[in-house]
Amino acid sequence: MSATVSAVTLVETLLVFAAIPLAIYGAIALLTLREKFAKAPRYRPGQEWEHDPVWWTANPAGLGSAHHGAAESDPTPVHTAKGGARGGW
């Protein structure tokens, strides 16, 4: 049996362990940092709101015709909470 060992140069080692991973990271960075993907139109304070109002609810089925809010059932709400910005409870 003859054992053959192939010598790997320093340049080949650097290409495999440094250049290729850096090229992969660079390609991923370019894809994710592209202006087309990273810059979505955003709302800025003071701009006109151009969308329909959307009310969020945890139970969409509860918003049927049988749903009555507190303002409809009790015209004089009772405020029992105390405190505020000063933190006096």
Side-chain angles (χ1 to χ4, degrees):
M1 284 194 215
S2 114
T4 59
V5 177
S6 64
V8 178
T9 65
L10 178 65
V11 174
E12 292 172 339
T13 303
L14 288 176
L15 282 174
V16 170
F17 290 110
I20 294 174
L22 285 175
I24 292 171
Y25 282 119
I28 292 171
L30 287 176
L31 289 175
T32 58
L33 297 177
R34 287 179 55 184
E35 190 171 335
K36 178 180 168 183
F37 294 119
K39 206 171 198 182
R42 297 177 57 175
Y43 171 77
R44 302 287 182 188
Q47 288 180 341
E48 289 290 324
W49 185 253
E50 300 173 353
H51 304 285
D52 295 331
V54 177
W55 292 96
W56 180 85
T57 178
N59 182 9
L63 291 179
S65 61
H67 177 71
H68 298 289
E72 296 173 3
S73 63
D74 188 13
T76 56
V78 177
H79 297 288
T80 59
K82 293 183 181 180
R86 292 178 300 279
W89 297 89

Coordinates of all heavy atoms in Angstrom, one line a residue:
M1 N 0.8 -1.2 0.0 CA 0.0 0.0 0.0 C 0.9 1.2 0.0 O 1.8 1.3 0.7 CB -0.8 0.0 1.3 CG -2.0 -0.9 1.2 SD -3.0 -0.5 2.6 CE -3.6 -2.1 3.0
S2 N 0.4 2.1 -0.8 CA 1.2 3.4 -0.8 C 0.3 4.5 -0.3 O -0.8 4.7 -0.7 CB 1.7 3.6 -2.3 OG 1.1 4.7 -2.8
A3 N 0.9 5.2 0.6 CA 0.1 6.4 1.2 C 0.5 7.6 0.4 O 1.7 8.0 0.3 CB 0.5 6.5 2.6
T4 N -0.5 8.3 -0.1 CA -0.2 9.6 -0.8 C -0.8 10.7 0.0 O -2.0 10.6 0.4 CB -0.8 9.5 -2.2 OG1 -2.2 9.3 -2.2 CG2 -0.1 8.5 -3.1
V5 N -0.1 11.7 0.2 CA -0.5 12.9 0.9 C -0.4 14.0 -0.1 O 0.7 14.3 -0.6 CB 0.3 13.1 2.1 CG1 -0.2 14.4 2.8 CG2 0.2 12.0 3.1
S6 N -1.5 14.7 -0.3 CA -1.4 15.9 -1.2 C -1.3 17.1 -0.3 O -2.0 17.3 0.7 CB -2.7 16.0 -2.0 OG -3.8 16.2 -1.2
A7 N -0.4 17.9 -0.7 CA -0.1 19.2 0.0 C -1.2 20.2 -0.3 O -1.5 20.4 -1.5 CB 1.3 19.7 -0.3
V8 N -1.6 20.9 0.7 CA -2.6 22.0 0.5 C -1.9 23.3 0.8 O -1.3 23.4 1.9 CB -3.8 21.8 1.5 CG1 -4.8 22.9 1.3 CG2 -4.5 20.5 1.2
T9 N -1.9 24.2 -0.1 CA -1.2 25.4 0.1 C -2.0 26.4 1.0 O -3.2 26.2 1.3 CB -1.0 26.1 -1.3 OG1 -2.3 26.5 -1.8 CG2 -0.3 25.2 -2.3
L10 N -1.3 27.4 1.4 CA -1.9 28.4 2.3 C -3.1 29.1 1.6 O -4.1 29.4 2.2 CB -0.9 29.4 2.8 CG -1.4 30.5 3.7 CD1 -1.9 30.0 5.0 CD2 -0.3 31.5 3.9
V11 N -2.9 29.4 0.3 CA -3.9 30.1 -0.5 C -5.2 29.3 -0.6 O -6.3 29.8 -0.4 CB -3.3 30.5 -1.9 CG1 -4.4 31.1 -2.7 CG2 -2.2 31.4 -1.7
E12 N -5.0 28.0 -0.8 CA -6.2 27.1 -0.9 C -6.9 27.0 0.4 O -8.1 27.0 0.5 CB -5.8 25.7 -1.4 CG -5.3 25.6 -2.8 CD -4.7 24.3 -3.1 OE1 -4.2 23.6 -2.2 OE2 -4.6 24.0 -4.3
T13 N -6.1 27.0 1.5 CA -6.7 26.9 2.8 C -7.5 28.2 3.1 O -8.6 28.2 3.6 CB -5.7 26.7 3.9 OG1 -4.9 25.5 3.6 CG2 -6.2 26.6 5.3
L14 N -7.0 29.3 2.8 CA -7.6 30.6 3.0 C -8.9 30.7 2.2 O -9.9 31.3 2.6 CB -6.7 31.8 2.8 CG -5.6 32.0 3.8 CD1 -4.7 33.1 3.4 CD2 -6.2 32.3 5.2
L15 N -8.8 30.2 0.9 CA -10.0 30.3 0.1 C -11.2 29.4 0.7 O -12.3 29.9 0.7 CB -9.7 29.8 -1.3 CG -8.9 30.7 -2.2 CD1 -8.5 30.0 -3.5 CD2 -9.8 31.9 -2.5
V16 N -10.8 28.2 1.1 CA -11.9 27.4 1.7 C -12.4 27.9 3.0 O -13.6 27.9 3.2 CB -11.3 25.9 1.8 CG1 -12.3 25.0 2.5 CG2 -11.0 25.3 0.4
F17 N -11.6 28.3 3.9 CA -12.0 28.6 5.3 C -12.3 30.1 5.5 O -12.9 30.4 6.5 CB -11.0 28.1 6.3 CG -10.9 26.6 6.4 CD1 -9.8 25.9 5.9 CD2 -12.0 25.9 6.9 CE1 -9.8 24.6 6.0 CE2 -11.9 24.5 7.0 CZ -10.8 23.8 6.5
A18 N -11.9 31.0 4.6 CA -12.2 32.4 4.8 C -13.0 33.0 3.6 O -14.0 33.6 3.8 CB -10.9 33.1 5.0
A19 N -12.5 32.8 2.4 CA -13.1 33.6 1.3 C -14.5 33.0 1.0 O -15.4 33.8 0.7 CB -12.2 33.5 0.1
I20 N -14.7 31.7 1.0 CA -16.0 31.2 0.6 C -17.1 31.6 1.7 O -18.1 32.0 1.3 CB -15.9 29.7 0.4 CG1 -15.1 29.4 -0.9 CG2 -17.3 29.0 0.3 CD1 -14.8 27.9 -1.1
P21 N -16.8 31.4 3.0 CA -17.8 31.8 4.0 C -18.1 33.3 3.9 O -19.2 33.8 4.0 CB -17.2 31.4 5.3 CG -16.3 30.3 5.0 CD -15.7 30.6 3.6
L22 N -17.0 34.1 3.7 CA -17.2 35.6 3.6 C -18.1 35.9 2.3 O -18.9 36.8 2.4 CB -15.9 36.3 3.5 CG -15.2 36.4 4.8 CD1 -13.8 37.1 4.6 CD2 -16.0 37.2 5.8
A23 N -17.9 35.2 1.3 CA -18.7 35.4 0.1 C -20.2 35.1 0.3 O -21.1 35.8 -0.1 CB -18.1 34.6 -1.1
I24 N -20.4 34.0 1.0 CA -21.8 33.6 1.4 C -22.4 34.6 2.3 O -23.6 35.1 2.0 CB -21.8 32.2 2.0 CG1 -21.4 31.1 1.0 CG2 -23.1 31.9 2.6 CD1 -21.1 29.8 1.5
Y25 N -21.7 35.1 3.3 CA -22.2 36.1 4.2 C -22.5 37.4 3.4 O -23.5 38.1 3.7 CB -21.3 36.4 5.4 CG -21.4 35.3 6.5 CD1 -20.3 34.6 6.8 CD2 -22.6 35.1 7.2 CE1 -20.4 33.6 7.8 CE2 -22.7 34.2 8.2 CZ -21.6 33.4 8.5 OH -21.6 32.5 9.5
G26 N -21.6 37.7 2.6 CA -21.8 39.0 1.8 C -23.0 38.9 0.9 O -23.7 39.9 0.7
A27 N -23.2 37.7 0.2 CA -24.4 37.6 -0.6 C -25.7 37.7 0.2 O -26.6 38.3 -0.3 CB -24.3 36.3 -1.4
I28 N -25.7 37.1 1.3 CA -26.9 37.1 2.2 C -27.1 38.6 2.6 O -28.2 39.1 2.6 CB -26.8 36.2 3.4 CG1 -26.8 34.7 2.9 CG2 -27.9 36.4 4.4 CD1 -26.5 33.7 3.9
A29 N -26.0 39.3 3.0 CA -26.2 40.7 3.4 C -26.7 41.6 2.3 O -27.5 42.4 2.5 CB -24.8 41.2 3.9
L30 N -26.2 41.4 1.1 CA -26.7 42.2 0.0 C -28.2 41.9 -0.3 O -28.9 42.8 -0.7 CB -25.8 41.9 -1.3 CG -24.4 42.5 -1.2 CD1 -23.7 42.0 -2.5 CD2 -24.5 44.0 -1.2
L31 N -28.6 40.6 -0.2 CA -30.0 40.3 -0.4 C -30.9 40.9 0.6 O -32.0 41.4 0.3 CB -30.2 38.8 -0.5 CG -29.6 38.1 -1.7 CD1 -29.7 36.6 -1.6 CD2 -30.3 38.6 -3.0
T32 N -30.5 40.9 1.9 CA -31.3 41.4 2.9 C -31.3 42.9 3.1 O -32.2 43.5 3.6 CB -31.0 40.8 4.3 OG1 -29.6 41.0 4.6 CG2 -31.2 39.3 4.3
L33 N -30.2 43.5 2.7 CA -30.1 45.0 2.9 C -30.4 45.8 1.6 O -30.3 47.0 1.6 CB -28.6 45.3 3.3 CG -28.2 44.7 4.6 CD1 -26.8 45.1 4.9 CD2 -29.1 45.3 5.7
R34 N -30.9 45.1 0.6 CA -31.4 45.8 -0.6 C -32.5 46.8 -0.2 O -33.3 46.5 0.6 CB -31.8 44.8 -1.6 CG -30.7 44.0 -2.3 CD -31.2 43.0 -3.3 NE -32.1 43.7 -4.3 CZ -32.7 43.1 -5.2 NH1 -32.6 41.8 -5.3 NH2 -33.4 43.7 -6.1
E35 N -32.5 47.9 -0.9 CA -33.4 48.9 -0.6 C -34.9 48.5 -0.9 O -35.8 48.8 -0.2 CB -33.1 50.2 -1.4 CG -33.9 51.4 -1.0 CD -33.4 52.6 -1.6 OE1 -32.2 52.7 -2.0 OE2 -34.2 53.6 -1.8
K36 N -35.0 47.6 -1.9 CA -36.3 47.2 -2.3 C -36.9 46.4 -1.2 O -38.1 46.4 -1.0 CB -36.1 46.3 -3.6 CG -37.4 45.7 -4.1 CD -37.1 44.9 -5.3 CE -38.3 44.0 -5.7 NZ -38.0 43.2 -6.9
F37 N -36.2 45.5 -0.5 CA -36.8 44.7 0.5 C -36.8 45.4 1.9 O -37.7 45.2 2.7 CB -36.0 43.4 0.6 CG -36.1 42.5 -0.6 CD1 -35.0 42.2 -1.3 CD2 -37.4 42.1 -1.0 CE1 -35.1 41.4 -2.5 CE2 -37.5 41.3 -2.1 CZ -36.4 41.0 -2.9
A38 N -35.8 46.1 2.2 CA -35.6 46.7 3.5 C -36.4 48.0 3.7 O -36.7 48.4 4.9 CB -34.1 46.9 3.8
K39 N -36.7 48.7 2.7 CA -37.4 50.0 2.8 C -38.8 49.9 2.4 O -39.1 50.2 1.2 CB -36.6 51.0 2.0 CG -36.7 52.4 2.5 CD -35.8 53.3 1.8 CE -35.6 54.6 2.6 NZ -34.8 55.5 2.0
A40 N -39.7 49.6 3.3 CA -41.1 49.6 3.0 C -41.7 50.9 3.3 O -41.2 51.6 4.2 CB -41.8 48.5 3.9
P41 N -42.7 51.3 2.6 CA -43.3 52.6 3.0 C -43.8 52.6 4.4 O -44.5 51.7 4.8 CB -44.5 52.8 2.0 CG -44.6 51.5 1.2 CD -43.4 50.7 1.6
R42 N -43.5 53.7 5.1 CA -43.9 53.7 6.5 C -44.7 55.0 6.8 O -44.6 56.0 6.1 CB -42.6 53.8 7.4 CG -41.8 52.5 7.3 CD -40.5 52.6 8.1 NE -40.9 52.9 9.5 CZ -40.0 53.0 10.4 NH1 -38.7 52.8 10.2 NH2 -40.3 53.2 11.7
Y43 N -45.5 54.9 7.8 CA -46.2 56.1 8.3 C -45.3 56.9 9.1 O -44.7 56.4 10.0 CB -47.5 55.6 9.0 CG -48.2 56.8 9.7 CD1 -49.0 57.7 8.9 CD2 -48.0 57.1 11.0 CE1 -49.6 58.7 9.5 CE2 -48.7 58.1 11.6 CZ -49.4 59.0 10.9 OH -50.0 60.0 11.5
R44 N -45.3 58.2 8.9 CA -44.6 59.1 9.7 C -45.6 60.1 10.4 O -46.6 60.5 9.8 CB -43.6 60.0 8.8 CG -42.6 59.1 8.0 CD -41.6 58.6 8.9 NE -40.6 57.8 8.2 CZ -39.7 57.1 8.7 NH1 -39.6 57.0 10.0 NH2 -38.8 56.4 7.9
P45 N -45.3 60.5 11.6 CA -46.2 61.4 12.3 C -46.4 62.7 11.5 O -45.5 63.2 10.9 CB -45.5 61.7 13.6 CG -44.7 60.5 13.8 CD -44.2 60.0 12.5
G46 N -47.7 63.1 11.3 CA -48.0 64.3 10.6 C -48.5 64.0 9.2 O -49.1 64.8 8.5
Q47 N -48.2 62.8 8.7 CA -48.7 62.4 7.4 C -50.2 62.1 7.4 O -50.7 61.7 8.5 CB -48.0 61.2 6.8 CG -46.6 61.4 6.4 CD -45.9 60.1 5.9 OE1 -46.4 59.0 6.1 NE2 -44.8 60.2 5.2
E48 N -50.9 62.2 6.3 CA -52.3 61.8 6.2 C -52.4 60.3 6.3 O -51.5 59.6 5.7 CB -52.9 62.3 4.9 CG -53.1 63.8 4.8 CD -54.2 64.2 5.7 OE1 -55.2 63.5 5.9 OE2 -54.1 65.3 6.3
W49 N -53.4 59.8 7.0 CA -53.6 58.4 7.1 C -54.5 58.0 5.9 O -55.6 58.4 5.8 CB -54.2 58.0 8.4 CG -54.4 56.6 8.6 CD1 -55.5 55.8 8.5 CD2 -53.3 55.6 8.9 NE1 -55.3 54.5 8.7 CE2 -53.9 54.3 9.0 CE3 -52.0 55.7 9.0 CZ2 -53.2 53.2 9.2 CZ3 -51.3 54.6 9.3 CH2 -51.9 53.3 9.4
E50 N -54.0 57.1 5.0 CA -54.6 56.8 3.7 C -55.4 55.5 3.8 O -55.8 55.0 2.7 CB -53.6 56.8 2.6 CG -52.9 58.2 2.4 CD -51.8 58.1 1.4 OE1 -51.5 57.0 0.9 OE2 -51.2 59.2 1.1
H51 N -55.5 54.9 4.9 CA -56.1 53.6 5.0 C -57.4 53.6 5.8 O -57.7 54.5 6.6 CB -55.2 52.6 5.7 CG -53.8 52.5 5.0 ND1 -53.6 51.9 3.9 CD2 -52.6 53.1 5.4 CE1 -52.3 52.0 3.5 NE2 -51.7 52.7 4.4
D52 N -58.3 52.6 5.5 CA -59.5 52.5 6.3 C -59.3 52.2 7.7 O -58.3 51.5 8.0 CB -60.4 51.4 5.7 CG -60.9 51.8 4.2 OD1 -61.0 53.0 3.9 OD2 -61.1 50.8 3.5
P53 N -60.1 52.7 8.6 CA -59.9 52.4 10.0 C -60.2 50.9 10.3 O -61.1 50.3 9.7 CB -60.9 53.2 10.8 CG -61.9 53.6 9.8 CD -61.2 53.6 8.4
V54 N -59.4 50.3 11.1 CA -59.6 48.9 11.4 C -59.6 48.8 12.9 O -58.7 49.2 13.6 CB -58.4 48.0 10.9 CG1 -58.5 46.6 11.3 CG2 -58.3 48.1 9.4
W55 N -60.7 48.2 13.4 CA -60.8 48.0 14.9 C -60.4 46.6 15.2 O -60.8 45.6 14.6 CB -62.2 48.2 15.3 CG -62.6 49.6 15.2 CD1 -63.3 50.2 14.2 CD2 -62.3 50.7 16.1 NE1 -63.4 51.6 14.4 CE2 -62.8 51.9 15.6 CE3 -61.6 50.7 17.3 CZ2 -62.7 53.1 16.2 CZ3 -61.5 51.9 18.0 CH2 -62.0 53.1 17.4
W56 N -59.5 46.4 16.2 CA -59.1 45.1 16.6 C -59.9 44.6 17.7 O -60.3 45.3 18.6 CB -57.6 45.1 17.0 CG -57.1 43.8 17.4 CD1 -56.6 42.9 16.6 CD2 -57.1 43.3 18.8 NE1 -56.2 41.8 17.3 CE2 -56.5 42.0 18.7 CE3 -57.5 43.7 20.0 CZ2 -56.4 41.1 19.7 CZ3 -57.3 42.9 21.1 CH2 -56.8 41.6 20.9
T57 N -60.2 43.3 17.7 CA -60.9 42.7 18.8 C -60.4 41.2 18.9 O -60.0 40.6 18.0 CB -62.4 42.6 18.5 OG1 -63.0 41.9 19.6 CG2 -62.8 41.9 17.3
A58 N -60.3 40.8 20.2 CA -59.8 39.4 20.4 C -60.9 38.4 20.1 O -60.6 37.2 19.8 CB -59.4 39.3 21.9
N59 N -62.1 38.8 20.0 CA -63.2 37.9 19.7 C -64.1 38.5 18.6 O -65.1 39.2 18.9 CB -64.1 37.7 21.0 CG -65.2 36.7 20.7 OD1 -65.3 36.0 19.7 ND2 -66.1 36.5 21.7
P60 N -63.8 38.2 17.3 CA -64.6 38.8 16.2 C -66.0 38.4 16.3 O -66.9 39.1 15.8 CB -63.9 38.3 15.0 CG -62.6 37.8 15.4 CD -62.7 37.5 16.8
A61 N -66.3 37.2 16.8 CA -67.7 36.7 16.9 C -68.5 37.6 17.9 O -69.7 37.7 17.8 CB -67.8 35.3 17.3
G62 N -67.9 38.2 18.8 CA -68.5 39.0 19.8 C -69.0 40.4 19.3 O -69.6 41.1 20.0
L63 N -68.7 40.7 18.1 CA -69.1 42.0 17.5 C -70.3 41.9 16.7 O -70.6 42.8 15.9 CB -67.9 42.6 16.7 CG -66.7 43.0 17.4 CD1 -65.6 43.5 16.5 CD2 -67.1 44.0 18.5
G64 N -71.1 40.9 16.9 CA -72.4 40.7 16.1 C -73.4 41.7 16.6 O -73.1 42.7 17.3
S65 N -74.6 41.6 16.1 CA -75.7 42.5 16.5 C -76.1 42.4 17.9 O -76.7 43.4 18.5 CB -76.9 42.2 15.6 OG -77.4 40.9 15.8
A66 N -75.8 41.3 18.6 CA -76.1 41.2 20.0 C -75.1 41.9 20.9 O -75.4 42.0 22.1 CB -76.2 39.7 20.4
H67 N -74.0 42.4 20.4 CA -73.0 43.0 21.2 C -73.5 44.5 21.6 O -73.8 45.2 20.7 CB -71.7 43.1 20.5 CG -70.6 43.8 21.2 ND1 -70.0 43.3 22.3 CD2 -70.1 45.0 21.0 CE1 -69.2 44.2 22.8 NE2 -69.2 45.2 22.0
H68 N -73.4 44.8 22.9 CA -73.7 46.1 23.3 C -72.6 46.6 24.2 O -72.2 45.9 25.1 CB -75.0 46.1 24.2 CG -76.2 45.7 23.4 ND1 -76.8 46.4 22.5 CD2 -76.9 44.5 23.5 CE1 -77.8 45.8 21.9 NE2 -77.9 44.6 22.5
G69 N -72.1 47.8 23.9 CA -71.0 48.3 24.6 C -71.4 48.9 25.9 O -72.6 49.0 26.2
A70 N -70.5 49.3 26.8 CA -70.8 49.8 28.1 C -71.5 51.2 27.9 O -72.4 51.5 28.7 CB -69.6 50.0 28.9
A71 N -71.2 51.9 26.9 CA -71.8 53.2 26.7 C -73.3 53.1 26.4 O -74.1 54.0 26.7 CB -71.1 54.0 25.6
E72 N -73.7 52.0 25.7 CA -75.1 51.9 25.4 C -75.9 51.4 26.6 O -77.1 51.8 26.7 CB -75.2 50.9 24.2 CG -74.6 51.3 22.9 CD -74.6 50.2 21.9 OE1 -75.1 49.2 22.2 OE2 -74.0 50.5 20.8
S73 N -75.4 50.5 27.4 CA -76.1 49.9 28.5 C -76.1 50.8 29.7 O -77.1 50.8 30.5 CB -75.6 48.5 28.8 OG -74.3 48.6 29.3
D74 N -75.1 51.5 30.0 CA -75.0 52.3 31.2 C -74.5 53.7 30.9 O -73.4 54.0 30.6 CB -74.0 51.7 32.2 CG -74.0 52.3 33.6 OD1 -74.9 53.1 33.8 OD2 -73.1 52.1 34.3
P75 N -75.4 54.7 30.9 CA -75.0 56.1 30.5 C -74.1 56.8 31.5 O -73.5 57.7 31.1 CB -76.4 56.8 30.3 CG -77.3 56.0 31.1 CD -76.9 54.6 31.1
T76 N -74.1 56.4 32.7 CA -73.3 57.0 33.7 C -72.3 56.0 34.2 O -72.6 55.2 35.2 CB -74.1 57.5 34.9 OG1 -74.9 56.5 35.4 CG2 -75.0 58.6 34.4
P77 N -71.1 55.9 33.7 CA -70.1 54.9 34.1 C -69.6 55.3 35.5 O -69.5 56.5 35.8 CB -69.0 54.9 33.1 CG -69.2 56.3 32.4 CD -70.6 56.6 32.5
V78 N -69.3 54.3 36.3 CA -68.7 54.5 37.6 C -67.2 54.4 37.5 O -66.7 53.4 37.0 CB -69.3 53.4 38.6 CG1 -68.6 53.6 39.9 CG2 -70.8 53.5 38.6
H79 N -66.5 55.4 37.9 CA -65.0 55.4 37.9 C -64.5 55.0 39.3 O -64.7 55.7 40.2 CB -64.5 56.8 37.5 CG -64.9 57.2 36.1 ND1 -64.4 56.6 35.0 CD2 -65.8 58.1 35.7 CE1 -64.9 57.2 33.9 NE2 -65.8 58.1 34.3
T80 N -63.9 53.8 39.4 CA -63.4 53.4 40.6 C -61.9 53.4 40.7 O -61.3 53.2 41.8 CB -63.9 51.9 40.9 OG1 -63.4 51.1 39.8 CG2 -65.4 51.9 41.0
A81 N -61.2 53.6 39.6 CA -59.8 53.6 39.6 C -59.2 54.9 40.2 O -59.7 56.0 40.0 CB -59.3 53.5 38.1
K82 N -58.1 54.7 40.9 CA -57.5 55.9 41.5 C -56.0 55.9 41.0 O -55.5 54.8 40.6 CB -57.5 55.8 43.0 CG -58.9 56.0 43.6 CD -58.8 56.0 45.1 CE -60.2 56.2 45.7 NZ -60.2 56.2 47.1
G83 N -55.3 56.9 41.2 CA -53.9 57.0 40.8 C -53.7 58.0 39.7 O -54.4 59.0 39.6
G84 N -52.8 57.7 38.8 CA -52.5 58.6 37.8 C -51.0 58.7 37.5 O -50.2 57.8 37.9
A85 N -50.6 59.8 37.0 CA -49.2 59.9 36.6 C -48.3 60.1 37.9 O -47.1 59.8 37.9 CB -49.0 61.2 35.7
R86 N -48.9 60.6 39.0 CA -48.1 60.7 40.2 C -48.0 59.4 40.9 O -47.1 59.3 41.8 CB -48.9 61.7 41.1 CG -48.8 63.1 40.6 CD -49.6 64.1 41.4 NE -51.0 63.7 41.6 CZ -51.9 64.0 40.8 NH1 -51.6 64.6 39.7 NH2 -53.2 63.7 41.0
G87 N -48.8 58.4 40.6 CA -48.6 57.1 41.3 C -49.2 57.0 42.6 O -48.9 56.1 43.4
G88 N -50.0 57.9 43.0 CA -50.7 57.8 44.3 C -51.9 56.9 44.3 O -52.9 57.2 43.7
W89 N -51.8 55.7 44.8 CA -52.8 54.7 44.7 C -53.7 54.7 46.0 O -53.5 54.5 47.0 CB -52.3 53.3 44.4 CG -51.6 53.3 43.2 CD1 -50.3 53.6 42.9 CD2 -52.1 53.0 41.9 NE1 -49.9 53.5 41.6 CE2 -51.1 53.1 40.9 CE3 -53.4 52.7 41.4 CZ2 -51.3 52.9 39.6 CZ3 -53.5 52.5 40.1 CH2 -52.5 52.6 39.2

